[in-house]
Amino acid sequence: MRMWLCPRTRVPVGASALAVLVLCWIYIYPVYRPAGHQEMVREVLDFGSGWRRNRTALDSIRKQLDDCCDPVRLFSVTKQNTPLGENMWFDGEFLYSLTIDNAVYNLFPQDTPFKHPLKKCSVVGNGGILKNSRCGEQIDRADFVIRCNLPPLSREYTEDVGSKTQLVTVNPSIIDKRFQNLLWSRRSFVESIKAYKQSSIYMPAFSTKRGTEPSLRVYYTLADFGTNQTVLFANPNFLRNVGKFWKNKGVHSKRLSTGLFMVSAALSLCEEVTIYGFWPFQMDLNGKSISHHYYDNTLPVTGIHAMPEEFIQLWFLHKSGVLKMQLAQCTEEASPQKSQ
């Protein structure tokens, strides 16, 4: 079918009209631009160190998360929240689901293994701002420590990031890239996981089709080798609802980062939350260049996460006294924080 063209242009009429509509929309509703590095440094330095925990604000955000996402009940898949025969819809692929048969159902714990509420929690991101932070002891003083995506905890890093771990997340892509989907590298995977001792391994097994098999292989591998870890599968209903929650607050991305998922859970599961390594910029507060991670400078795939937007939301929670964000070097003794 022939397309009508505008005078002086090769662009189809329909495309031109769409472009005009988009420009009008941008004029009326300007595109939100996240704060840049320099703006955030000024904001952080101006705020200073006068942070105080605000119980009222924490109760408010916790109620919002409980109402939308029910982290206490839905954080992981259990026999209590996912009955045999349920058709479970994946959160990362709209048209794909899995019927829970006996083989899969038997992998689920009866109920969540965590005693609620947890007391003091550390959620540890992997940002380069942790390098030379000397935050290891402070992180490990928490009652419950959450880490993201199998970060290295060898001696060269423990002074900055600690070693204590109660829960560590594993993205199925890590199993593919580092351990060949456990088809040939089962023993090396088991050896690497020893650093996390008796922690829970948390995996989004039911987010995408490609992630299910690697996640189940992790479960079977650790069972075959008789390790001390427990494998928990993220509940796709929890992940989906948390994504909607933050989208409504201004985080526009294809998918939230693992870190923001974990902070969201911690705000409901823990009485006090301190986060470390959440700084998505290439320079620290002193203007010094830093690596993307505390252990390497591998950059993320673009177009998936909106890290500056996530940071702004977390920084707002810090300013509001909901959680504490540690960005500066840690002192020898972390002084107790007052509450409002």
Side-chain angles (χ1 to χ4, degrees):
M1 185 176 75
R2 184 176 177 181
M3 302 186 74
W4 292 97
L5 302 180
C6 294
R8 301 179 184 177
T9 179
R10 294 181 181 273
V11 179
V13 173
S16 297
L18 178 61
V20 170
L21 287 174
V22 170
L23 290 174
C24 290
W25 180 270
I26 292 174
Y27 179 78
I28 298 171
Y29 301 104
V31 175
Y32 169 71
R33 181 182 65 84
H37 163 254
Q38 294 182 345
E39 293 172 271
M40 286 312 309
V41 167
R42 285 196 296 270
E43 168 78 15
V44 171
L45 294 178
D46 288 346
F47 184 78
S49 58
W51 181 87
R52 297 183 67 183
R53 195 174 305 280
N54 187 328
R55 295 290 179 185
T56 302
L58 174 57
D59 290 343
S60 176
I61 194 74
R62 180 177 289 150
K63 185 179 187 308
Q64 294 176 47
L65 284 165
D66 289 347
D67 289 346
C68 80
C69 314
D70 198 0
V72 173
R73 190 176 68 90
L74 296 180
F75 176 65
S76 63
V77 179
T78 67
K79 291 176 180 175
Q80 291 276 355
N81 61 41
T82 308
L84 180 65
E86 177 171 312
N87 191 36
M88 178 182 288
W89 289 95
F90 286 31
D91 66 285
E93 293 181 328
F94 295 111
L95 301 177
Y96 194 79
S97 64
L98 178 73
T99 300
I100 304 302
D101 59 17
N102 273 303
V104 175
Y105 181 75
N106 288 332
L107 305 182
F108 304 158
Q110 184 65 33
D111 203 354
T112 179
F114 309 129
K115 293 181 179 179
H116 176 262
L118 303 170
K119 294 183 179 179
K120 295 183 179 180
C121 294
S122 293
V123 182
V124 188
N126 297 328
I129 199 166
L130 272 172
K131 194 171 184 178
N132 300 318
S133 67
R134 300 178 182 175
C135 286
E137 288 188 15
Q138 184 171 310
I139 289 170
D140 285 354
R141 278 200 289 269
D143 302 294
F144 197 90
V145 179
I146 301 172
R147 301 183 187 272
C148 302
N149 292 328
L150 292 184
L153 299 179
S154 51
R155 286 186 180 181
E156 61 187 299
Y157 302 119
T158 52
E159 183 180 8
D160 295 329
V161 303
S163 61
K164 184 176 180 179
T165 309
Q166 273 68 43
L167 184 141
V168 60
T169 70
V170 184
N171 193 304
S173 64
I174 294 175
I175 303 302
D176 179 20
K177 294 175 182 177
R178 294 190 202 172
F179 305 104
Q180 295 75 52
N181 270 331
L182 298 180
L183 297 175
W184 313 106
S185 304
R186 295 197 341 145
R187 186 170 295 279
S188 63
F189 171 71
V190 170
E191 288 299 318
S192 70
I193 218 80
K194 287 181 179 178
Y196 310 103
K197 300 177 183 175
Q198 297 182 359
S199 62
S200 294
I201 310 297
Y202 186 76
M203 299 193 69
F206 309 111
S207 289
T208 65
K209 292 183 292 184
R210 294 182 61 185
T212 303
E213 278 300 318
S215 300
L216 298 184
R217 285 195 196 108
V218 167
Y219 185 102
Y220 293 127
T221 297
L222 296 182
D224 289 347
F225 281 80
T227 65
N228 294 322
Q229 288 85 15
T230 300
V231 178
L232 299 175
F233 300 128
N235 193 311
N237 295 316
F238 167 73
L239 300 181
R240 183 184 302 108
N241 291 334
V242 169
K244 292 178 181 177
F245 176 84
W246 289 110
K247 184 176 182 179
N248 290 335
K249 289 186 176 293
V251 178
H252 302 288
S253 62
K254 186 174 180 181
R255 188 170 181 82
L256 298 183
S257 71
T258 300
L260 189 52
F261 279 124
M262 293 302 100
V263 172
S264 303
L267 287 172
S268 282
L269 298 173
C270 310
E271 292 181 351
E272 297 181 7
V273 178
T274 304
I275 64 176
Y276 304 81
F278 286 80
W279 180 255
F281 306 108
Q282 296 178 344
M283 292 187 177
D284 65 13
L285 298 178
N286 298 313
K288 181 181 177 182
S289 295
I290 56 176
S291 57
H292 186 69
H293 299 125
Y294 70 81
Y295 49 85
D296 68 25
N297 198 32
T298 302
L299 299 178
V301 178
T302 59
I304 304 297
H305 306 309
M307 303 306 286
E309 291 182 9
E310 291 189 10
F311 176 82
I312 289 170
Q313 294 296 328
L314 294 174
W315 176 248
F316 175 76
L317 295 180
H318 171 86
K319 290 200 302 180
S320 302
V322 171
L323 55 72
K324 182 179 181 183
M325 177 186 288
Q326 183 70 40
L327 294 174
Q329 276 194 338
C330 293
T331 56
E332 290 292 329
E333 287 292 333
S335 57
Q337 302 297 332
K338 297 179 181 180
S339 298
Q340 291 181 344

